[in-house]
Amino acid sequence: MAKVTCVDVSEFQQNIDFNKMKNDGIKAVIIRAGYGREVSQKDSMFESHYRNAKSAGLKVGAYWYSYADSINDAEKEAKACLECIENKYFDMPIYYDLEDYSMVKLGKTKLTAIAERFCETIKKSNYRVGVYANLNWFNNCLDYDELKRKYSIWLAQYNDRAELDCDIWQNSSSGRVNGYNGRLDTNIVYDESLFNCADKSTSEKPTLTYRVFADHKWYSEVKGLSNIAGRNKQAISAIALKVSRGKIRYRVHLLNGDWLPWVTGYNINDNRNGFAGIKEKVIDAVQVEFSGVSDFKATYRVRKQGAGFWDWQHNTEKDSSQDGYAGLLGTKIDGVQITLT
């Protein structure tokens, strides 16, 4: 039999030593992010399991347990899941866990549509997706062929072999692995390309485009580090920013004023969510956050008016060299550069 290299865990498994697991041959862990339609149903151990598994150097995936009884419910579950996993990077897909007996009465057509709605909603945020179910569900409650055509398949079957073609086979619910003093689910990963972000659409660097408003006009668009947005000695009042994939938000600080609200859109004619800033007021700092594609971060800097650039910043991180924003409060800026790293 192929070797067990993956476990899945939830709040029901605590006090896990992921380093010992790795030394015992485990390569990956799939963590329950939560269940149901509400963000309040986030798994209480998700954050610590995620942090500790990443620290141990394990590949990480996630799953969401469903109680959906309609397609709309499935979308609500997907949106709750997205909130719970926001700003996390996964080496493996996000799986939709379909096994609750209360759902069987819905029938194969509706249950398959529920699975598709969840998966398609998650995909819109640039995560890879899959469906988890046992052999009975895949044979009798879901359109296995249709789901296999579109998504990764994680099969639960506690037997001596997997009877369906799948990427991951959950072969036991009572496995023993060093690092955890109890029984847990063990898995055999047949397709290790799941570990490598083989889906190029989720690993290639997105295109980032931006422009600034200064001297009573919008300057030309800049892509990545191809140029500098702005002109020497012309104080910037606003910025507009977009990415080809992933999630971006940004905001600016008014000179001798306050931070304005976060913006996610890109439209120089929309002064509510199309750009950050007020055309009649100068800014002195910028914040940018990016997530949702591999582990890319927004990397950006601004130029002091009439002088040079300050240090690069990464998302809104703070440490000895990171302020959480680019700029110096109280000092005008005349240039911006933004990329993803």
Side-chain angles (χ1 to χ4, degrees):
M1 182 183 293
K3 182 177 173 58
V4 167
T5 58
C6 176
V7 297
D8 57 273
V9 300
S10 69
E11 62 191 28
F12 301 111
Q13 291 81 41
Q14 301 188 18
N15 300 313
I16 299 173
D17 188 328
F18 287 105
N19 287 295
K20 286 185 178 180
M21 281 191 173
K22 184 177 182 182
N23 291 335
D24 198 29
I26 297 301
K27 297 181 180 180
V29 57
I30 307 175
I31 305 167
R32 188 177 77 159
Y35 57 95
R37 301 189 301 257
E38 306 296 333
V39 176
S40 61
Q41 293 170 293
K42 181 177 182 177
D43 190 290
S44 63
M45 292 296 293
F46 173 67
E47 293 290 338
S48 60
H49 281 339
Y50 176 90
R51 181 174 60 253
N52 293 335
K54 281 287 188 179
S55 295
L58 294 173
K59 304 296 185 182
V60 174
Y63 72 94
W64 191 267
Y65 189 97
S66 175
Y67 291 106
D69 59 11
S70 69
I71 293 173
N72 286 339
D73 267 359
E75 185 162 342
K76 290 177 181 177
E77 290 189 335
K79 289 179 178 178
C81 176
L82 288 170
E83 281 200 54
C84 291
I85 66 175
E86 187 174 19
N87 296 323
K88 297 289 191 297
Y89 169 67
F90 296 95
D91 311 277
M92 302 169 70
I94 309 301
Y95 287 93
Y96 197 32
D97 183 344
L98 293 164
E99 60 180 292
D100 200 80
Y101 182 75
S102 67
M103 300 168 68
V104 173
K105 64 182 183 293
L106 299 175
K108 179 180 287 191
T109 299
K110 190 168 184 179
L111 285 170
T112 301
I114 283 172
E116 290 175 324
R117 177 62 63 89
F118 179 93
C119 288
E120 292 303 315
T121 303
I122 297 293
K123 280 178 68 176
K124 288 178 182 177
S125 291
N126 294 299
Y127 294 104
R128 291 178 297 158
V129 292
V131 176
Y132 167 96
N134 59 44
L135 182 65
N136 176 60
W137 267 69
F138 277 128
N139 281 339
N140 301 304
C141 302
L142 296 166
D143 187 335
Y144 163 80
D145 290 332
E146 180 67 13
L147 295 176
K148 179 70 170 66
R149 185 175 66 83
K150 296 179 179 179
Y151 314 121
S152 175
I153 297 294
W154 180 14
L155 169 68
Q157 184 183 10
Y158 307 148
N159 199 351
D160 60 351
R161 63 189 178 91
E163 295 180 37
L164 286 177
D165 184 21
C166 57
D167 299 316
I168 305 175
W169 170 33
Q170 187 184 78
N171 69 330
S172 176
S173 61
S174 56
R176 295 283 188 175
V177 177
N178 285 342
Y180 180 66
N181 186 27
R183 300 180 187 275
L184 77 172
D185 297 340
T186 55
N187 301 270
I188 291 170
V189 179
Y190 291 120
D191 182 7
E192 291 205 357
S193 69
L194 291 174
F195 296 163
N196 302 319
C197 290
D199 181 352
K200 291 184 179 181
S201 68
T202 62
S203 61
E204 290 180 348
K205 185 176 178 178
T207 301
L208 188 149
T209 305
Y210 55 103
R211 63 196 309 184
V212 300
F213 186 88
D215 193 25
H216 309 292
K217 63 184 178 183
W218 283 101
Y219 282 48
S220 299
E221 288 184 341
V222 173
K223 293 185 183 298
L225 300 182
S226 63
N227 209 334
I228 298 170
R231 184 178 177 184
N232 191 37
K233 297 185 180 179
Q234 297 295 332
I236 293 171
S237 299
I239 181 171
L241 172 61
K242 65 180 178 180
V243 286
S244 59
R245 291 180 297 112
K247 298 170 65 176
I248 196 84
R249 68 171 189 164
Y250 57 103
R251 65 175 181 170
V252 298
H253 187 273
L254 297 179
L255 182 70
N256 300 319
D258 299 313
W259 285 102
L260 295 180
W262 290 99
V263 172
T264 58
Y266 183 90
N267 183 346
I268 60 175
N269 297 311
D270 176 4
N271 59 12
R272 297 190 64 183
N273 192 45
F275 61 87
I278 300 172
K279 292 180 179 179
E280 298 79 17
K281 297 186 177 182
V282 172
I283 65 173
D284 55 16
V286 176
Q287 276 189 311
V288 185
E289 286 188 338
F290 176 83
S291 63
V293 178
S294 188
D295 55 354
F296 286 115
K297 299 177 182 180
T299 297
Y300 57 106
R301 64 179 182 171
V302 299
R303 186 173 62 194
K304 178 181 178 181
Q305 185 179 31
F309 278 96
W310 282 297
D311 290 340
W312 292 100
Q313 302 295 312
H314 305 282
N315 277 354
T316 53
E317 297 173 1
K318 293 183 179 180
D319 55 35
S320 58
S321 61
Q322 303 286 297
D323 299 317
Y325 61 88
L328 178 65
L329 301 188
T331 303
K332 298 177 182 179
I333 60 175
D334 64 14
V336 177
Q337 283 192 307
I338 312 172
T339 187
L340 299 176
T341 59

